Every structure is written in C-alpha cells, then in structure tokens.
Amino acid sequence: MNWYNDTISKIESKEKPKTDYWEQDINNELLITEFEKAIVKLVENIENEKDLGCLPMRFRMLPNVILKEDRYNISDKKYLLKRMYFVLERNKSNDFIKELIAEFKLIVEPYFEIYDFIIKEPQQNTADKPNKGKQKKIAEKWYALLYWIELSANGQQPPKSIEGTFVKREIEKIGREKTGTTGQSFYREFIKIDLNNERLISKAFSKEWKNEIIRLSNNSLLISNYIEDKYNSK
C-alpha cells in the first residue's frame, strides 16, 4: 500500500512536536489527507479507464491495517476509520467505491464499539417537538452535546488552534457530517456547552437529557458508562 507506507514514513521522519497530543493529531490528519487524495485518484483512474494495478486490493486491506496497527489506540482507530468512511461515502456514486464501503462495513462489524461509532445511525430523539409531518427533527444542540461527550469519553479534545481556541471551520465540518446541515448552529451550540456544569446542561436541554443523549448515541455502552460515572455517581 504505497501511499500508506509513504505517509507513515513521512510521519516517522518528521521532527516531533512539543506534545504527543499534537503529534498524534497532526499524524492522523496527514493520513486522512493522503487517503482522500488516493481515493480521488482511484476514482479518476476508474472513470478514465486506466489500469488500476494493485490499488483495489490495497484499499480493501486498509481497514484491517488500521485495526491491527499497534501504533493506534482505540480512539485513534475510531477517528481514522470514521473519517475514512466519510471519504468513501462522499465518493459512493462510483460503483467500485460502493463495493469498498460494503467491504469496509464487513471488516469493521466484528469490532462492535468501533462499528457503532462509525456506521450505526442514531435513533430518533424524543426531546424535540415533532414537525408537522410524522418525522421528528433533532435539534443540532443535541448532536453538539453528544459530540462533546464522545470526545470526553474517549479522552480527546475538539479541534483547536495552537493558541487553544476552537477551530470553527473544523467543528462546523464535523457538524455537517453529523447533522446534514451547514454545521453553523452546531458550532454555536457546541462552544456554549460546559460538561462540568450539569445544572446548566439540564436547563439548556431537559431534565431527561442523559437518557436522550444515550438514546441519540444508539445506546452506546461507552456513552452510557461515561454519563453514569461522571454524573449519576455524584
């Protein structure tokens, strides 16, 4: 998998940043960037009927490579594979990419926690009033709260600049992926949330916010345990 090996070589040869946190974030972003470039190139080659060589097999191997690499902890694996899944989804108009997505799901499915984090769709939330139709719209603030909890449960931080401020563009991008909207409202709600202030969370959301977030997470054990440990044990 030339592009993957080349990227890893670049990562290992780089001068290390001051902290492991920044180093890992930079490395992960580099890997995702190179993956997206490789997917775009693959689609172009298919559309131009060029010889694909070993590329199809390399992309089929990639999820296993990430899952079995010791260099990645569980949080990194979830992050990388979810970002890769989104890249594939953006290119799924191509038939070969559709096949890759199907195989991707089969490979990741035995890893229940990772599969749930990447692929399973959240269930409808009952905290918001229904629209005029039968479907209920989930306010973006709920996705923002869930994202904060996902980050905290995995020991991660949201995208921040070197100065420590939130990176609006990146958080809005995450909001778009989670809600299907512009992500602007997601960002505005996200930066207002303080996970350490349960009283304000209850006031801004509802007294049943814990159950609603667990439901929105598709009953994720990770989220449920985090909420139990952080709030219900007090």
Side-chain angles (χ1 to χ4, degrees), residues 24-226:
Q24 192 60 49
D25 274 1
I26 292 168
N27 293 345
N28 288 346
E29 286 301 319
L30 176 60
L31 184 58
I32 294 300
T33 299
E34 293 301 320
F35 174 76
E36 187 155 20
K37 288 179 182 177
I39 285 291
V40 170
K41 184 65 176 178
L42 175 65
V43 172
E44 287 178 357
N45 287 348
I46 293 172
E47 291 176 348
N48 294 325
E49 299 183 352
K50 292 184 178 180
D51 181 25
L52 302 181
C54 297
L55 277 177
M57 180 58 67
R58 289 171 180 168
F59 280 106
R60 288 186 170 101
M61 292 167 55
L62 185 58
N64 270 324
V65 173
I66 298 296
L67 287 166
K68 295 177 181 179
E69 276 273 14
D70 292 336
R71 73 173 61 246
Y72 304 119
N73 60 34
I74 184 67
S75 297
D76 290 329
K77 290 176 181 179
K78 290 164 72 174
Y79 171 81
L80 288 170
L81 289 169
K82 186 163 189 172
R83 291 286 298 275
M84 289 177 179
Y85 180 71
F86 285 145
V87 171
L88 293 173
E89 279 285 305
R90 286 197 293 270
N91 292 275
K92 66 181 180 181
S93 58
N94 181 278
D95 288 340
F96 177 72
I97 301 299
K98 288 180 182 177
E99 293 178 13
L100 282 183
I101 291 173
E103 292 180 16
F104 183 101
K105 291 179 178 180
L106 288 175
I107 292 170
V108 176
E109 190 171 13
Y111 300 82
F112 301 116
E113 183 179 338
I114 297 176
Y115 182 85
D116 287 352
F117 179 75
I118 297 172
I119 295 170
K120 278 197 174 180
E121 294 293 332
Q123 295 177 344
Q124 283 289 344
N125 188 294
T126 59
D128 297 282
K129 294 181 179 180
N131 291 331
K132 292 181 180 179
K134 293 183 179 180
Q135 290 187 338
K136 296 178 181 179
K137 181 180 179 181
I138 303 174
E140 290 181 49
K141 67 179 183 179
W142 289 95
Y143 288 104
L145 177 58
L146 176 57
Y147 178 50
W148 257 124
I149 292 175
E150 287 172 345
L151 288 170
S152 187
N154 285 297
Q156 297 176 329
Q157 289 289 322
K160 290 183 179 180
S161 66
I162 295 176
E163 293 78 17
T165 58
F166 293 124
V167 180
K168 181 179 179 181
R169 183 175 62 180
E170 287 299 314
I171 295 175
E172 285 183 346
K173 181 179 178 182
I174 292 166
R176 287 196 297 273
E177 293 170 347
K178 288 181 174 293
T179 67
T181 65
T182 63
Q184 294 177 356
S185 178
F186 177 92
Y187 172 78
R188 289 194 298 270
E189 296 294 340
F190 181 82
I191 62 176
K192 293 190 294 185
I193 294 171
D194 179 4
L195 288 186
N196 294 318
N197 195 327
E198 184 179 356
R199 183 180 64 83
L200 285 182
I201 295 175
S202 296
K203 185 177 180 180
F205 291 83
S206 76
K207 292 182 179 180
E208 295 297 317
W209 71 267
K210 298 170 191 173
N211 292 332
E212 297 300 339
I213 285 295
I214 291 171
R215 188 176 295 113
L216 184 60
S217 74
N218 204 32
N219 297 312
S220 164
L221 185 60
L222 177 70
I223 300 303
S224 178
N225 287 343
Y226 175 86

